[in-house]
């Protein structure tokens, strides 16, 4: 008797849209409203991927001639990516608020409707594009209560702790374009098939290896790391440890994608230049931490679980230690013993 496919997954060609819809019955979130948001993000991802892959030809390389809220030179592709996400999200009825690394303030798309808040870094690592290094889009999705008194401060709908995320993910524009997302029921990966123009299921329920002999950090900042971090890195390089292999791309999405698949640890500790860490809580650390935990890993700021941090502002920064459980526990021990 021929096997009948129970779901589209069994047929071996499952798009990310089908994957979300196939969970329709399993998860209250995968309603049409939520699916519409994720579909908007995948559409923007396809647009951004096309632009990134032709960057050298399309005259989209280089600086846009303006600086963002952080005083960083905006790359032309940063602005194009931001525009693609706004264009693919804001007309969707279920979108209430969007917030972006490239926007000083959140954009209130609908005052009293649109239950989802989408926060994103449209093109993280964009300064690497000119040298053809992988970059990525990172997104974080919260729900909000649309019933609120007049004069409600919508910023409260944005500044939610990471454990309230209803979904998070990234799209990495590397040797292939891969989308990775979670809605709290595991981590799933899809590869963009350019010949079809769809993200096709590559791996369901991705699990981060419990151990991994990789450490990923910008050692140029070594001298200003907390003593416990320096002692941990010295251990990683010791014969007792192996030593571990150092891998650092300098693009968070690419460095985390490898850590998710191979295990080990990515760390951006406090430095002299960035005493509160360089990475942003709302659209870098939170989504990465949600994915890491869903895959069996952990993410802290050196003291607290990232997902427990109550944000004070949209663009606030945090130290980030994310990776295999054994590695996070080990670096925490070093910091407790030698100082965080
Ligand atoms: P550094 C890219 O600019 C970014 O925001 C992250 O993608 C990356 O992990 C980090 O900064 C790299 O920072 O100081 O090592 O160049």
């Amino acid at each position: 008797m021929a096997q009948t496919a129970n779901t589209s997954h069994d047929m071996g060609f499952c798009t990310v849209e089908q994957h979300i819809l196939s969970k329709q019955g399993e998860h209250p979130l995968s309603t049409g409203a939520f699916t519409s948001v994720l579909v908007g993000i995948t559409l923007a991802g396809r647009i951004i991927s096309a632009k990134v892959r032709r960057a050298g030809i399309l005259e989209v390389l280089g600086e846009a001639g303006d600086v963002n809220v952080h005083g960083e030179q905006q790359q032309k592709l940063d602005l194009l990516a931001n525009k693609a996400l706004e264009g693919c999200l804001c007309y969707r009825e279920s979108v209430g608020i969007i917030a972006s690394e490239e926007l000083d303030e959140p954009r209130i798309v609908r005052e009293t409707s649109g239950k989802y808040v989408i926060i994103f870094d449209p093109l993280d690592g964009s300064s690497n594009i000119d040298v053809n290094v992988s970059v990525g889009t990172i997104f974080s999705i919260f729900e909000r209560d649309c019933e609120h008194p007049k004069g409600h401060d919508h910023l409260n709908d944005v500044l939610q702790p990471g454990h309230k995320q209803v979904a998070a993910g990234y799209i990495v524009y590397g040797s292939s374009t891969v989308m990775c997302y979670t809605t709290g029921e595991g981590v799933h990966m899809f590869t963009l098939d350019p010949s079809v123009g769809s993200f096709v299921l590559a791996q369901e329920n991705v699990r981060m290896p419990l151990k991994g002999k990789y450490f990923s950090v910008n050692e140029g900042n070594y001298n200003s790391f907390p003593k416990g971090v320096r002692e941990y890195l010295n251990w990683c390089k010791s014969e007792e440890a192996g030593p571990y292999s150092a891998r650092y791309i300098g693009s968070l999405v690419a460095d985390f994608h490898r850590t998710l698949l191979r295990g080990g640890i990515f760390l951006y500790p406090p430095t002299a230049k960035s005493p509160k860490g360089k990475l942003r809580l709302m659209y870098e650390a939170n989504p990465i931490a949600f994915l890491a935990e869903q895959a069996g890993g952990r993410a802290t700021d050196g003291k607290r679980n990232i997902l427990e941090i109550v944000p004070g502002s949209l663009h606030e920064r945090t130290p980030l230690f994310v990776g295999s459980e054994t590695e996070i526990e080990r670096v925490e021990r070093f910091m407790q013993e030698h100082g965080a």
Side-chain angles (χ1 to χ4, degrees):
M1 169 72 83
Q3 282 289 331
T4 53
N6 299 319
T7 68
S8 54
H9 308 186
D10 301 338
M11 292 187 288
F13 188 91
C14 174
T15 64
V16 62
E17 294 82 3
Q18 285 168 306
H19 191 262
I20 298 156
L21 283 170
S22 72
K23 289 182 174 289
Q24 183 88 28
E26 289 170 32
H27 194 297
L29 252 189
S30 297
T31 64
F34 181 69
T35 302
S36 170
V37 171
L38 266 186
V39 166
I41 291 173
T42 62
L43 176 59
R46 296 203 299 264
I47 294 168
I48 296 167
S49 182
K51 297 240 186 293
V52 164
R53 300 211 176 288
R54 288 179 295 159
I57 307 163
L58 280 182
E59 282 308 300
V60 293
L61 285 181
E63 295 173 352
D66 202 350
V67 293
N68 60 18
V69 65
H70 320 289
E72 294 163 345
Q73 275 297 338
Q74 286 181 310
Q75 304 293 322
K76 289 175 190 166
L77 271 171
D78 281 331
L79 299 178
L80 283 168
N82 194 68
K83 198 164 175 226
L85 281 156
E86 286 194 270
C88 293
L89 286 170
C90 292
Y91 68 87
R92 295 172 191 266
E93 293 301 320
S94 49
V95 174
I97 301 174
I98 63 168
S100 166
E101 183 198 35
E102 300 305 329
L103 299 175
D104 297 1
E105 301 297 333
R107 179 176 160 188
I108 313 307
V109 182
R110 291 174 180 81
E111 287 270 343
T112 56
S113 65
K115 68 176 181 177
Y116 293 111
V117 178
I118 302 100
I119 307 171
F120 48 81
D121 184 349
L123 205 59
D124 180 75
S126 54
S127 54
N128 291 311
I129 283 187
D130 297 13
V131 292
N132 207 17
V133 166
S134 300
V135 291
T137 297
I138 315 173
F139 62 92
S140 170
I141 304 176
F142 291 94
E143 280 188 323
R144 69 158 181 172
D145 177 359
C146 297
E147 304 293 318
H148 40 66
K150 201 157 176 55
H152 168 72
D153 182 356
H154 295 286
L155 192 56
N156 296 329
D157 300 329
V158 178
L159 299 182
Q160 300 184 50
H163 65 80
K164 289 196 171 180
Q165 289 174 98
V166 292
Y170 61 78
I171 300 168
V172 55
Y173 311 101
S175 46
S176 62
T177 296
V178 172
M179 177 171 181
C180 180
Y181 88 94
T182 184
T183 57
E185 295 183 28
V187 173
H188 314 296
M189 277 189 191
F190 302 79
T191 301
L192 180 61
D193 178 341
S195 65
V196 179
S198 293
F199 283 99
V200 180
L201 181 63
Q203 196 175 346
E204 264 195 317
N205 299 314
V206 176
R207 302 300 291 169
M208 187 186 288
L210 273 179
K211 296 184 182 215
K213 292 199 160 189
Y214 293 98
F215 68 93
S216 185
V217 66
N218 180 344
E219 289 211 78
N221 299 313
Y222 176 87
N223 292 335
S224 66
F225 287 157
K227 188 168 185 327
V229 174
R230 284 182 274 128
E231 291 300 325
Y232 168 71
L233 294 175
N234 295 338
W235 178 85
C236 287
K237 301 173 194 174
S238 70
E239 274 192 34
E240 179 193 343
Y244 282 21
S245 293
R247 292 285 184 278
Y248 192 70
I249 301 167
S251 197
L252 173 62
V253 179
D255 279 317
F256 177 70
H257 188 66
R258 181 201 56 250
T259 306
L260 178 60
L261 293 172
R262 297 275 176 82
I265 187 171
F266 169 88
L267 48 160
Y268 207 107
T271 66
K273 186 182 171 195
S274 307
K276 291 188 177 171
K278 175 183 181 184
L279 301 176
R280 282 79 164 194
L281 174 64
M282 296 307 291
Y283 39 81
E284 290 176 328
N286 267 342
I288 291 297
F290 190 15
L291 289 162
E293 288 206 357
Q294 280 291 309
R298 284 187 55 204
T300 83
D301 66 354
K303 300 187 178 78
R304 299 169 293 175
N305 178 326
I306 290 287
L307 298 179
E308 298 306 319
I309 298 175
V310 178
S313 63
L314 172 60
H315 299 294
E316 76 179 57
R317 299 173 190 267
T318 176
L320 177 63
F321 301 76
V322 58
S324 301
E325 185 159 7
T326 50
E327 289 316 315
I328 300 298
E329 286 171 358
R330 196 189 320 272
V331 72
E332 284 179 329
R333 280 199 304 276
F334 274 94
M335 289 195 282
Q336 280 149 17
E337 194 175 327
H338 301 283

